[in-house]
Amino acid sequence: MSETTWTEVVPVTSKSRVQLPISARARLNWGSLTEPLALLAKLEPGNSAKLEPWDPAGVDVMRGLESLLASEGDADRAELALIAMDRYLRVSLDPDGRILLPANLAHHIDAIGHDAVRVIVRGGDLQLWSEIAWQASRSSRLRAFGDRLLGLESSR
């Protein structure tokens, strides 16, 4: 399989924690830690979130957001601030690979009331997905690429 791609279903603990598997962390150029690492979690459409190191990603987003908010009128500034608070979150990855999911992130990826989420590493990017949303989109992924797999299977 690909050295830069990984997916796995991981359990969500009763305290809304997920443990990134060693196999996933090994595919991230920032996955080997000796101290906690702050991450920017960007809530994405489709019940997923992209996580990347706070420095530089979170720092850049906060700088850009400050500039954007400073240029807006009061009504738009308040609305943009709310949208940003709903989209951008700071989380921490501890050296053992654990992430505590804030409530809004946990809700977004359907971790509340369910016992698992999907971890995806693709091209050095880390994503957390709702396992429900991931399974619901499985058919469309198979339609798009399944013929290649069937060709592989039939050539045996």
Side-chain angles (χ1 to χ4, degrees), residues 59-147:
V59 171
D60 291 346
V61 165
M62 291 302 118
R63 241 186 244 126
L65 187 57
E66 285 175 11
S67 182
L68 176 62
L69 292 174
S71 69
E72 295 292 331
D74 289 344
D76 287 346
R77 183 177 23 252
E79 190 63 25
L80 279 169
L82 285 172
I83 292 167
M85 285 183 234
D86 216 22
R87 176 166 163 75
Y88 304 114
L89 304 171
R90 186 177 178 136
V91 299
S92 182
L93 173 66
D94 76 18
D96 293 326
R98 290 184 301 260
I99 299 173
L100 175 62
L101 303 175
N104 46 349
L105 173 57
H107 276 285
H108 182 72
I109 60 173
D110 295 323
I112 305 255
H114 298 92
D115 59 354
V117 295
R118 174 71 61 159
V119 172
I120 298 168
V121 177
R122 185 176 7 204
D125 291 335
L126 173 63
Q127 297 175 325
L128 296 179
W129 274 74
S130 158
E131 180 60 12
I132 296 164
W134 182 260
Q135 291 301 328
S137 66
R138 176 177 279 186
S139 293
S140 65
R141 287 192 308 276
L142 284 174
R143 275 193 301 278
F145 294 97
D147 57 337

Side-chain angles (χ1 to χ4, degrees), residues 4 27-28 30 50-52 120-127:
T4 61
R27 288 166 170 79
L28 298 166
W30 45 267
K50 180 179 179 182
L51 285 76
E52 52 193 319
I120 298 168
V121 177
R122 185 176 7 204
D125 291 335
L126 173 63
Q127 297 175 325

Side-chain angles (χ1 to χ4, degrees), residues 30-42:
W30 45 267
S32 179
L33 305 174
T34 56
E35 58 187 50
L37 177 67
L39 299 174
L40 171 67
K42 290 191 283 189

